[in-house]
Amino acid sequence: MHLRRIFVMFTARNREFFRDRAAFGWNFLFPFLLVAGFAVMFGSDRHQTYKIGLFPQPSGMIDSASLPLPEALRDTRYLSFIGFSDQSTGMQRLQQHKIDLLVEVGAVGGPNGPGKAHPFRYWVSDTSPKGYVAERLFRGALTDGHGDGGFERAPVQGHQVDYIDWLFPGILAMNMMFSALYGVGFVVVRYRKNGVLKRLKATPLRPFEYLSAQLLSRLFLLVFSLVIVWGGCTLIFDFQVRGRYLDLLIAFTLGGASLTALGLVLAARGTSEEFTNGVLNFLSWPMMFLSEVWFSLEGAPEWVHQVAACLPLTHLLSAARQIMNEGATLASVGPQLLILALMTLSFLAIGATLFSWTR
């Protein structure tokens, strides 16, 4: 081992990195963007951890000061109140783990006999970890240590989705996202940098054909991995799938194709592996936070929902969860599948138009 040779290579690599202004700048810019994203989503003093749905109320977020609720409940931190016009809509959100507690304001009657008023009747899913805590906070604030607080716990009607069943499609989709973006975006850029694409330019192969082959190859690997992971996890956790497995496979296939095509748009022109890695991170982190991989966006500002609707992972997860947790058919999730198909064709066309064989 020669220390001088090591030092020469160390110096050369550092110079290469600092001379790549795009990669150098991105390594400083991306952490700021990541912190800013967390600050917008979680850093506000108004960030709410537990979501309580109320009906009948105007749809959307409700200012707790305007609600006929006990002061102890209105003053409890980390609670948000979301209005629903009817019980069925609120119950659907509760079963999908998009809210933690559903409350009917002004309910009358109950187990204590006719004429016994219960200002609040509430529903909570027995399979929701956050629902258990939200119920404790709700009951504690109403009773304040005395009496029954004027509430009635009503049974949840219909199928209750286990939290792991709700979370599992998000984990699979996130893994598919990283594999799709990095599996084509990073690799094609490396081929261009190493001169592999330059050699292919001398052949009759066209950019659209090359990108289509890359998409199909990656899609085959994505679906193959999905089946293996799904089968292995099902043996351990026994997931409940209310819809058809074929419909679920079609949804994940279209979602994987859309994510792969998005990676090909970046691969069309990229020449720096370091810069490409940064941009891939920039594409993936909004989808992790805004596509409901880990948590629901119920009650989030409207602009957040609009941004989320532009992301392919959002439509993939919406279709997959409806099929898996609610037993939806392909016709029911047709709008999401159509959007994924259109995104795939659009990204592929953009990538083929911008594609360059050389730097």
Side-chain angles (χ1 to χ4, degrees), residues 294-309:
W294 307 106
F295 50 83
S296 168
L297 293 180
E298 192 72 33
E302 182 61 28
W303 69 266
V304 175
H305 289 279
Q306 293 175 355
V307 173

Side-chain angles (χ1 to χ4, degrees), residues 44-103:
S44 171
D45 292 337
R46 299 181 59 188
H47 168 62
Q48 312 299 348
T49 302
Y50 301 99
K51 300 176 183 179
I52 298 179
L54 301 172
F55 78 92
Q57 294 288 332
S59 300
M61 293 291 294
I62 303 176
D63 185 3
S64 60
S66 64
L67 293 173
L69 298 173
E71 183 178 356
L73 186 62
R74 287 189 280 110
D75 293 341
T76 301
R77 298 180 63 185
Y78 306 116
L79 293 182
S80 63
F81 300 93
I82 305 170
F84 297 102
S85 59
D86 54 74
Q87 179 182 346
S88 60
T89 303
M91 189 66 66
Q92 182 186 45
R93 298 295 192 276
L94 180 68
Q95 293 171 337
Q96 295 173 350
H97 296 273
K98 293 189 174 183
I99 59 175
D100 306 309
L101 197 73
L102 179 64
V103 179

Side-chain angles (χ1 to χ4, degrees), residues 11-26:
T11 305
R13 182 63 187 92
N14 287 343
R15 288 177 178 175
E16 179 186 2
F17 175 76
F18 285 111
R19 287 173 181 173
D20 189 344
R21 296 181 179 179
F24 179 72
W26 186 254

Side-chain angles (χ1 to χ4, degrees), residues 108-315:
V108 178
N112 295 324
K116 173 63 176 179
H118 291 267
F120 304 101
R121 179 187 292 124
Y122 71 91
W123 293 259
V124 60
S125 175
D126 294 329
T127 64
S128 171
K130 293 180 67 177
Y132 174 82
V133 179
E135 180 185 18
R136 291 283 180 169
L137 292 173
F138 179 72
R139 292 172 66 102
L142 290 182
T143 60
D144 196 22
H146 305 284
D148 65 359
F151 55 75
E152 173 195 352
R153 189 184 199 273
V156 176
Q157 302 295 327
H159 176 73
Q160 296 190 48
V161 179
D162 290 338
Y163 181 70
I164 188 63
D165 289 336
W166 182 87
L167 181 63
F168 184 56
I171 296 175
L172 288 180
M174 186 183 66
N175 179 70
M176 179 175 284
M177 174 190 69
F178 282 116
S179 181
L181 293 179
Y182 284 89
V184 293
F186 195 81
V187 171
V188 173
V189 169
R190 188 176 64 215
Y191 286 164
R192 182 178 292 108
K193 184 177 180 180
N194 294 340
V196 175
L197 297 186
K198 187 176 182 179
R199 296 185 181 93
L200 292 176
K201 184 181 180 181
T203 70
L205 188 66
R206 296 183 177 182
F208 187 83
E209 297 170 341
Y210 175 74
L211 295 182
S212 297
Q214 288 285 339
L215 186 148
L216 293 174
S217 173
R218 176 54 50 175
L219 189 58
F220 169 77
L221 295 175
L222 289 177
V223 174
F224 179 76
S225 301
L226 173 71
V227 172
I228 298 298
V229 173
W230 186 289
C233 291
T234 301
L235 293 177
I236 300 174
F237 299 103
D238 190 25
F239 295 110
Q240 300 297 318
V241 179
R242 304 191 67 196
R244 297 197 309 166
Y245 280 98
L246 179 60
D247 297 346
L248 198 58
L249 180 62
I250 292 174
F252 273 107
T253 301
L254 284 175
S258 180
L259 291 167
T260 304
L262 177 60
L264 289 174
V265 173
L266 176 60
R269 286 282 180 175
T271 58
S272 169
E273 292 170 293
E274 290 82 359
F275 180 70
T276 301
N277 183 66
V279 177
L280 287 172
N281 286 328
F282 178 74
L283 290 175
S284 59
W285 76 262
M287 287 191 275
M288 283 194 296
F289 295 127
L290 301 181
S291 295
E292 298 188 323
V293 173
W294 307 106
F295 50 83
S296 168
L297 293 180
E298 192 72 33
E302 182 61 28
W303 69 266
V304 175
H305 289 279
Q306 293 175 355
V307 173
C310 299
L311 306 174
L313 193 64
T314 300
H315 302 285

Side-chain angles (χ1 to χ4, degrees), residues 338-353:
L338 178 61
I339 291 174
L340 289 173
L342 292 176
M343 283 184 172
T344 301
L345 295 176
S346 299
F347 292 150
L348 193 58
I350 293 173
T353 302

